[in-house]
Amino acid sequence: MIIVRVDDHAQHHATEMHLGQLIPSVESPARLQVIERAVHAAGFDDVHDAQCIELSLLERVHSPQYIEFLSTAYERWRAAGYAGDAMAYTWPARHAGQTRPESVVGQLGYHSFSADCSISAGTAGAARNAAAAAATAATHALQVGSAFAMHRPPGHHATRDQFGGYCYLNNAAVAAQRLRDLGAAKVAVLDIDYHHGNGTQDIFYARDDVLTCSIHADPANRFPWFIGYAAERGVGAGEGSNLNLPLPLGSAFDAWRDALHVAIAAIRKAGCDALVVALGVDTFEHDPISDFKLKTEHYPLVGTDIAALQLPTALIMEGGYLTEQLGENVAGVLQGFAQAHRGSSA
Ligand code: OKP
Ligand code: ZN
């Protein structure tokens, strides 16, 4: 398995509105340091730098207007005389129109859906590097069978033109689009993060060339609250190409693994020829913001189950917030996967 690394991620450190208090985001630079250490210690030494990502690929996933907004928002915020990180405080009311305000403050509300993250000085660059790592991993996956994009910030909550949930550019969607562009006819995105991959669902909702599957905490009681329900199955040509498997709060590995097998069966049935795994390990029993009950010993089994699909696979880093065991859990998935995956002769 190829490991794709990034530069400059530590310059992204967002502010988070957490239940009435502004705190440094739990999606911290330290997360990636422990992941890098554990992946290296596990013996994965085929490490490649992320290659630059073309704007044209990014623009197949995100709106040009949003990409431009992301890269200039922090400077505009500072130039307007505001302190701290750029953060929204107003979102469109239910029957508001679609007007995009001119002010950066208004545009922050237009281009985000939650106040759990902000745009800091290094956010745009780090988000771009993460998307680049995802695209690079997808390319390697087609060439050698599998690759892991080892980056932050995560991406699966970012929609075509909104950030939120610690996510700015949708790395998994970029990987899926890259796989399509390189010739995969039908791509599956399997999202195993604790939270619903709302952005990925949204980006591909009307398309039948990308099957999106997400196993997550029931949104009736967890972020992202308004989306991620089982009844959401896609629209138009995309009807039947979205599979949500919400689970009750507190779910343990047995129930979680049953859902994984349902998703894997759906991917098989759809005849997908490449796979993107949105790899979050905030399903861990001691994760500070989640409540599933997966244990460290389960993560290699997760990797093994996914490898059974025997598809070219790009594994894309998402969430996981207990830095103590984060690295071990991520490396566990990769090890289980690598042992069971046949790879490719190409
Ligand atoms: C990102 B990923 C409020 C917490 C809300 C939402 C969770 C975002 C998780 N302070 N944060 O899916 O791991
Ligand atoms: Zn998550």
Side-chain angles (χ1 to χ4, degrees):
M1 162 153 1
I2 285 179
I3 309 296
V4 181
R5 63 169 296 281
V6 292
D7 290 313
D8 299 334
H9 72 86
Q11 289 170 43
H12 165 63
H13 38 77
T15 302
E16 171 168 352
M17 173 62 85
H18 180 66
L19 305 174
Q21 290 188 305
L22 282 178
I23 59 167
S25 178
V26 300
E27 199 290 285
S28 67
R31 294 180 60 246
L32 195 53
Q33 289 161 10
V34 303
I35 293 169
E36 286 171 342
R37 217 173 298 138
V39 166
H40 181 77
F44 293 98
D45 56 7
D46 194 2
V47 181
H48 295 235
D49 286 322
Q51 294 146 16
C52 230
I53 183 169
E54 324 86 83
L55 187 59
S56 58
L57 173 56
L58 221 42
E59 288 184 348
R60 281 197 283 285
V61 171
H62 293 285
S63 76
Q65 198 176 47
Y66 174 64
I67 296 166
E68 164 74 14
F69 164 81
L70 256 193
S71 57
T72 55
Y74 183 76
E75 287 69 28
R76 292 172 62 203
W77 175 265
R78 283 302 174 116
Y82 308 129
D85 291 352
M87 210 166 178
Y89 75 94
T90 312
W91 291 268
R94 197 171 315 286
H95 299 296
Q98 299 297 309
T99 304
R100 183 176 185 257
E102 279 171 22
S103 155
V104 66
V105 182
Q107 288 182 2
L108 280 159
Y110 184 88
H111 284 302
S112 67
F113 65 87
S114 65
D116 60 3
C117 58
S118 64
I119 299 179
S120 72
T123 298
R128 184 96 170 204
N129 290 346
T136 305
T139 302
H140 285 308
L142 282 186
Q143 286 164 354
V144 306
S146 62
F148 172 55
M150 187 166 63
H151 59 221
R152 58 174 287 277
H156 70 149
H157 296 304
T159 72
R160 186 170 165 74
D161 61 359
Q162 288 175 302
F163 67 90
Y166 319 154
C167 299
Y168 303 86
L169 295 173
N170 195 311
N171 309 312
V174 164
Q177 186 63 53
R178 168 60 65 83
L179 290 167
R180 285 282 296 114
D181 293 348
L182 291 179
K186 182 148 184 163
V187 176
V189 180
L190 172 59
D191 190 324
I192 61 171
D193 187 278
Y194 172 86
H195 303 93
H196 174 241
N198 62 287
T200 323
Q201 166 173 319
D202 191 60
I203 287 163
F204 297 116
Y205 207 58
R207 286 170 53 169
D208 63 357
D209 59 335
V210 179
L211 170 68
T212 46
C213 306
S214 181
I215 304 165
H216 50 265
D218 189 340
N221 283 294
R222 284 293 180 273
F223 184 92
W225 311 109
F226 307 102
I227 178 170
Y229 296 92
E232 298 155 15
R233 301 191 64 256
V235 74
E239 177 80 50
S241 290
N242 184 73
L243 175 63
N244 282 334
L245 298 164
L247 295 176
L249 302 190
S251 289
F253 187 57
D254 281 357
W256 191 92
R257 197 181 199 184
D258 286 347
L260 179 64
H261 291 159
V262 170
I264 287 172
I267 292 166
R268 225 178 242 127
K269 190 170 171 215
C272 298
D273 48 11
L275 176 66
V276 173
V277 180
L279 174 54
V281 294
D282 42 5
T283 48
F284 185 51
E285 57 178 340
H286 302 306
D287 192 276
I289 68 168
S290 310
D291 54 45
F292 283 176
K293 300 281 178 260
L294 274 68
K295 299 175 187 299
T296 293
E297 73 212 51
H298 295 140
Y299 288 101
L301 302 174
V302 174
T304 306
D305 283 356
I306 294 171
L309 281 165
Q310 299 298 352
L311 291 171
T313 303
L315 298 115
I316 308 297
M317 192 64 221
E318 301 285 355
Y321 303 98
L322 187 78
T323 40
E324 210 183 319
Q325 273 130 316
L326 173 59
E328 201 180 342
N329 292 342
V330 170
V333 175
L334 300 185
Q335 280 177 310
F337 180 96
Q339 277 162 20
H341 194 257
R342 275 197 299 271
S344 144
S345 50

